[in-house]
């Protein structure tokens, strides 16, 4: 299974196996990763699953809805900002590293 | 704390899970029990009428938290555990199994249950409803083999199910008793947009039409409408509303009125008992009136106040209500409560499929529906939360950037 590393603001990291087809948000929730709230459960309706992609080449592009929601994140949007519920895991995304922002609400 | 009776949360749903989480985050280290009458750990319900019905989402992906979370947080979860009665004088409750449990604090997060269709023949028609994971699993399986589907009720859940059924190639007739769709929640122009959307996708949408009876013969159901028309289908799904699970509270002598009555800190009249989520008739700090809401937002935010109250703090529940619904490729997002209103202002172009409707009461913005306009929805939540003034003229003018206005830029 491809692996994803979730990094916290304090630098601590958790690396987990993410089933292909799951979103980065789902994997975070099901592995008790702190700091991903995901109030809408992946509906692209809350922007509380924001992450910064530190290292990851092969990500799907940002769709319009995600781009709009990213304008509304609690922590500042940066060029590498994504909504983790909108990134579906693919085999070639192995090794992805994401940083969890300081706040989601 | 050893020896002291636990805090017990009744109802292992969205709100119950949040109450437990907030109690731990709020510093409660004592014994904490979560009792739920379903077989699953708390899960998300919204996908049950949406993506889950396509069969591509495994049930474990719906869990709000994995099993390990409850172990780590020392939350003593009991599933398939139904609470039958509460003895407030003795601070004890009784489970269906006969077991009695003492509590030091109690939270009621019992949610709602579906309102069944009661027309003649309904009991024999194997009607599907969508409330629980078990319902969702049963419906997903039935949809696979169905050819013609009748959806009774043009509210959010009925419409979401209709959309999924159409996307799976089923013939769909949707029967709504009111003259328009989602009538309790949105303005006529939004209802009209959705009627056209569904018709455009091939759903036969019947408005102002009731169901008089259902006849079932050899697995086929004939729905007889109030206009006398008959529709023969192999699957019926009804989404005609819910009733709050407040009987437990009522039998224990707590005030109930279309839900368990609580104040703006989620407190019942008993100082040891709070309630949160779909089951409450509550004083809403943001709306400044009493209301019962059925949404994830309400379940989560009110739960936080309920947990604070159990910990002896007071945290007024004062959050902007919000909600969403997915139908085909249109995401409807609702901020505030637009009903009732005296003015509805269209923002943008309906024919583009991406627009908002802003609702005003006495000249004050009270709600915004956004269709495929997530940034406007988020801006609306901010405007409403801050009470930033917005005129009807500004609302209708798309050159006014709502987010900039909200940020005070
Ligand atoms: C199909 C569907 C789609 C939805 N879509 C959306 C959406 O898009 N957006 C949105 O914001 N909201 C949506 N909602 C609403 C949202 O899911 C609810 O508002 C939310 O689940 C309410 O949480 P709750 O904890 O109050 O109640 P629930 O989640 O219903 O939990 C209550 C739990 O208590 C249990 N219980 C009741 N009585 C007892 C007892 N005596 N003993 C033990 N256990 C008991 C119940 O079985 C249940 O498990 C949807 C709901 C459904 C059903
Ligand atoms: S979980 Fe709500 S936007 Fe990602």
């Amino acid at each position: 299974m491809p692996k994803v590393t979730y990094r916290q603001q304090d630098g601590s990291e958790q690396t987990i196996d993410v089933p292909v087809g799951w979103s980065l948000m789902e994997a975070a929730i099901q592995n008790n990763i702190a700091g991903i709230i995901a109030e809408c459960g992946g509906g692209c309706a809350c922007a509380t699953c924001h992450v910064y992609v530190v290292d990851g080449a092969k990500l799907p592009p940002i769709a319009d809805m995600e781009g709009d929601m990213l304008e509304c994140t609690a922590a500042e949007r940066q060029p590498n900002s994504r909504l983790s519920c909108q990134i579906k895991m693919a085999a070639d995304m192995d090794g992805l590293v994401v940083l969890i922002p300081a706040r989601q609400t | 704390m050893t020896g002291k009776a636990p805090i017990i949360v009744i109802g292992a749903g969205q709100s119950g899970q949040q109450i437990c989480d907030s109690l731990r985050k709020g510093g409660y280290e004592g014994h904490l029990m979560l009792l739920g009458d379903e077989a699953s750990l708390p899960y998300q319900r919204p996908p049950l009428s949406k993506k889950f019905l396509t069969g591509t989402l495994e049930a474990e992906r719906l869990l709000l938290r994995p099993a390990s979370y409850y172990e780590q947080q020392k939350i003593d979860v009991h599933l398939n555990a139904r609470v039958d009665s509460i003895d407030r004088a003795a601070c004890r409750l009784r489970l269906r199994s006969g077991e009695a449990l003492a509590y030091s604090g109690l939270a009621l997060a019992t949610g709602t249950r579906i309102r069944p269709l009661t027309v003649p023949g309904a009991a024999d028609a194997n009607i599907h409803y969508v409330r629980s994971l078990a319902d969702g699993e049963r419906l997903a399986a039935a949809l696979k083999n169905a050819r013609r589907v009748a959806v009774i009720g043009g509210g959010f859940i009925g419409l979401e199910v209709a959309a999924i059924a159409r996307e799976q190639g089923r013939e769909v007739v949707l029967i709504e008793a009111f003259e328009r769709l989602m009538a309790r929640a949105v303005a006529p122009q939004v209802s009209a947009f959705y009627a056209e959307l569904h018709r455009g996708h091939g759903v036969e949408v019947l408005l102002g039409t009731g169901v008089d009876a259902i006849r079932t013969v050899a697995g086929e159901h004939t729905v007889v409408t109030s206009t006398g028309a008959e529709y023969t289908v192999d699957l019926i799904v009804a989404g005609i509303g819910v009733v709050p699970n407040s009987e437990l509270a009522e039998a224990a002598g707590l005030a109930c009125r279309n839900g368990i009555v609580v104040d703006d800190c989620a407190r019942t009249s008993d100082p040891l008992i709070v309630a949160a989520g779909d089951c409450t008739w509550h004083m809403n700090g943001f709306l400044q009136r009493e209301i019962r809401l059925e949404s994830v937002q309400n379940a989560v935010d009110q739960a936080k106040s309920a947990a604070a109250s159990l910990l002896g703090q007071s945290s007024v529940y004062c959050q902007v209500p919000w909600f969403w619904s997915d139908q085909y490729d249109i995401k409807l997002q609702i901020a505030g409560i637009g009903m009732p209103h005296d003015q509805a202002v269209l923002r943008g172009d309906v024919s583009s499929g991406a627009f908002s409707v802003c609702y005003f009461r006495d000249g004050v913005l009270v709600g915004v529906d956004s269709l495929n306009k997530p940034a406007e929805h988020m801006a609306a939540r901010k405007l409403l939360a801050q009470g930033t003034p917005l005129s009807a003229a500004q609302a209708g003018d798309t050159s006014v950037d709502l987010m900039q206005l909200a940020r005070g830029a």
Side-chain angles (χ1 to χ4, degrees):
Chain A
M1 254 186 240
K3 287 190 190 316
V4 176
T5 299
Y6 296 80
R7 184 179 295 161
Q8 300 289 344
Q9 291 291 314
D10 65 6
S12 64
E13 290 187 346
Q14 274 165 284
T15 299
I16 58 179
D17 293 326
V18 179
V20 169
W22 282 41
S23 72
L24 294 189
M25 177 280 286
E26 289 173 309
I29 295 289
Q30 298 311 330
N31 286 279
N32 295 311
I33 305 278
I36 303 254
I37 298 181
E39 259 180 10
C40 78
C44 198
C46 72
T48 64
C49 64
H50 180 203
V51 294
Y52 302 112
V53 176
V54 182
D55 194 358
K58 297 246 169 63
L59 294 190
I62 299 178
D64 288 352
M65 292 289 275
E66 182 186 351
D68 268 17
M69 285 306 277
L70 280 168
E71 287 302 317
C72 316
T73 51
E76 195 192 345
R77 178 178 187 175
Q78 289 174 11
N80 60 345
S81 282
R82 295 296 304 256
L83 294 181
S84 58
C85 71
Q86 299 302 304
I87 302 179
K88 297 268 175 298
M89 199 61 196
D92 60 3
M93 283 160 52
D94 186 38
L96 185 65
V97 181
V98 297
L99 172 68
I100 295 174
R103 48 193 292 252
Q104 296 283 11
T105 55
Chain B
M1 292 285 263
T2 42
K4 196 171 173 205
I7 290 183
I8 300 184
V9 179
I10 305 176
Q14 183 100 43
S15 204
Q17 188 272 326
Q18 183 66 50
I19 293 170
C20 292
D21 194 70
S22 297
L23 282 171
R24 286 298 187 227
K25 286 210 170 80
Y28 176 67
E29 290 174 352
H31 187 186
L32 179 55
M33 278 181 110
L34 177 61
L35 310 177
D37 64 358
E38 291 188 67
S40 170
L41 287 170
Y43 56 89
Q44 304 174 49
R45 293 181 200 278
L48 296 177
S49 51
K50 306 179 178 73
K51 197 180 171 198
F52 186 74
L53 292 179
T54 63
T56 56
L57 201 61
E58 306 89 322
E60 62 167 315
R61 290 164 74 178
L62 297 183
L63 293 182
L64 289 170
R65 294 285 184 277
S68 57
Y69 160 90
Y70 299 92
E71 287 159 29
Q72 280 169 18
Q73 297 293 318
K74 297 200 165 53
I75 300 167
D76 189 3
V77 189
H78 295 253
L79 302 175
N80 299 308
R82 184 167 177 86
V83 177
D84 269 347
S85 63
I86 301 166
D87 178 349
R88 293 198 291 128
C91 294
R92 293 173 85 80
L93 53 80
R94 187 167 293 279
L95 293 171
R96 172 126 326 156
S97 63
E99 195 181 345
L101 297 169
Y103 61 82
S104 60
L106 188 62
L108 306 172
T110 49
T112 57
R113 62 179 178 277
I114 55 102
R115 184 187 296 282
L117 196 69
T118 54
V119 301
D124 304 319
N126 191 24
I127 298 175
H128 286 252
Y129 300 91
V130 202
R131 181 72 203 172
S132 66
L133 179 59
D135 294 339
E137 283 171 338
R138 209 166 69 90
L139 178 56
L143 264 178
K144 268 198 208 141
N145 304 316
R147 218 171 45 80
R148 298 207 69 200
V149 181
V151 177
I152 300 172
F156 296 112
I157 291 179
L159 291 169
E160 288 178 347
V161 172
I164 296 279
R166 270 313 291 157
E167 285 174 339
Q168 298 198 322
R170 311 293 167 251
E171 281 177 50
V172 179
V173 55
L174 183 123
I175 306 167
E176 165 57 50
F178 278 105
E179 291 299 332
R180 59 191 189 87
L181 301 174
M182 304 177 281
R184 280 194 313 150
V186 301
Q189 55 262 60
V190 178
S191 299
F193 173 86
Y194 274 95
E196 281 320 298
L197 178 71
H198 281 271
R199 287 179 176 137
H201 278 91
V203 175
E204 186 169 356
V205 178
L206 308 177
L207 299 174
T209 306
V211 171
D212 280 356
I214 302 170
R215 290 193 308 266
T216 298
V217 179
E220 281 207 326
H221 315 291
T222 300
V223 179
V224 184
T225 72
S226 55
T227 62
E230 300 196 350
Y231 294 84
T232 299
V233 299
D234 36 27
L235 176 62
I236 301 177
V237 187
I240 55 168
V242 293
V243 271
N245 291 323
S246 52
E247 291 80 359
L248 185 65
E250 204 164 3
L254 295 169
C256 292
R257 195 160 65 241
N258 180 24
I260 304 166
V261 175
V262 293
D263 70 4
D264 58 3
C265 292
R267 296 177 291 218
T268 67
S269 52
D270 184 322
L272 294 182
I273 306 181
V274 298
D278 281 15
C279 66
T280 67
W281 175 257
H282 65 270
M283 180 62 201
N284 190 291
F286 174 76
L287 299 170
Q288 283 300 312
R289 60 182 155 107
E290 293 185 313
I291 195 168
R292 197 171 63 74
L293 294 172
E294 295 160 12
S295 69
V296 169
Q297 173 278 323
N298 179 64
V300 169
D301 289 330
Q302 199 181 23
K304 293 176 184 171
S305 289
S309 290
L310 281 176
L311 296 176
Q313 302 144 5
S314 76
S315 158
V316 173
Y317 171 41
C318 185
Q319 309 290 323
V320 177
W322 59 274
F323 187 81
W324 76 97
S325 175
D326 294 332
Q327 297 167 42
Y328 308 104
D329 52 355
I330 306 283
K331 180 178 295 296
L332 168 65
Q333 292 173 284
I334 300 180
I337 300 288
M339 298 296 188
H341 60 268
D342 48 39
Q343 193 182 7
V345 178
L346 175 66
R347 178 179 172 85
D349 176 11
V350 173
S351 65
S352 70
F355 62 95
S356 292
V357 176
C358 303
Y359 299 90
F360 292 85
R361 188 158 58 236
D362 301 326
V364 176
L365 183 73
V366 290
V368 179
D369 297 345
S370 300
L371 287 80
N372 282 4
K373 280 281 182 195
E376 288 190 354
H377 166 74
M378 295 302 279
R381 279 165 56 179
K382 221 175 159 72
L383 288 170
L384 288 164
Q386 297 168 172
T388 311
L390 178 79
S391 69
Q394 283 174 309
D397 180 353
T398 50
S399 71
V400 175
D401 184 329
L402 296 184
M403 194 45 112
Q404 258 177 30
L405 201 69
R407 291 194 169 128

